[in-house]
Amino acid sequence: QVQLVESGGGSVQAGGSLRLSCAGARMITSTFNMYNMGWFRQAPGKQREMVATITNGGITNYKDSVKGRFTITRNGSRKTMYLQMNSLQPEDTGVYYCKFFTSRDDYWGQGTQVTVSS
């Protein structure tokens, strides 16, 4: 069973930076490398939305509002995916969830809170 462990959330002022991590616990590298991955967020009273994704081949895709500010990466040897968030804005506030997925299955992290104050 795949278990995803998130870390790195917190509270920052506008303009600050945070880095989120999502580790695939008890995964071997070959399994980790099979998955497409992504970060999603949910603001209070809103639906969960895609923030950034990265395929198992390394192709990235971003929500328009985070392009140029956020960077998604993955490290097979560490079995960890990252989201570097720079120039954070209050509208980036929410619970951030990581997801590993294929056409057959998907797994979610527990979520980590990001709060950006103005």
Side-chain angles (χ1 to χ4, degrees):
Q1 182 71 14
V2 174
Q3 182 182 6
L4 305 184
V5 180
E6 297 187 38
S7 60
S11 297
V12 296
Q13 291 192 326
S17 298
L18 287 172
R19 188 176 81 154
L20 305 183
S21 299
C22 178
R26 299 192 300 271
M27 293 183 78
I28 60 175
T29 298
S30 59
T31 300
F32 177 91
N33 290 340
M34 286 172 45
Y35 283 91
N36 303 306
M37 302 174 181
W39 289 97
F40 297 75
R41 70 186 179 197
Q42 188 164 18
K46 295 188 177 181
Q47 290 195 338
R48 192 174 298 188
E49 61 179 3
M50 185 276 289
V51 175
T53 60
I54 184 166
T55 69
N56 55 14
I59 297 172
T60 59
N61 186 42
Y62 296 92
K63 177 181 173 62
D64 284 347
S65 63
V66 308
K67 286 180 181 177
R69 301 188 297 123
F70 290 12
T71 303
I72 186 171
T73 56
R74 56 192 291 167
N75 185 317
S77 61
R78 294 179 180 266
K79 291 164 281 184
T80 302
M81 174 183 63
Y82 304 96
L83 184 68
Q84 177 66 43
M85 305 186 292
N86 298 328
S87 302
L88 282 160
Q89 299 301 315
E91 53 265 34
D92 296 317
T93 293
V95 179
Y96 282 67
Y97 298 89
C98 63
K99 179 182 178 181
F100 287 10
F101 58 98
T102 69
S103 59
R104 295 178 299 173
D105 55 7
D106 59 74
Y107 301 93
W108 290 90
Q110 81 277 14
T112 186
Q113 178 69 44
V114 171
T115 303
V116 185
S117 57
S118 57

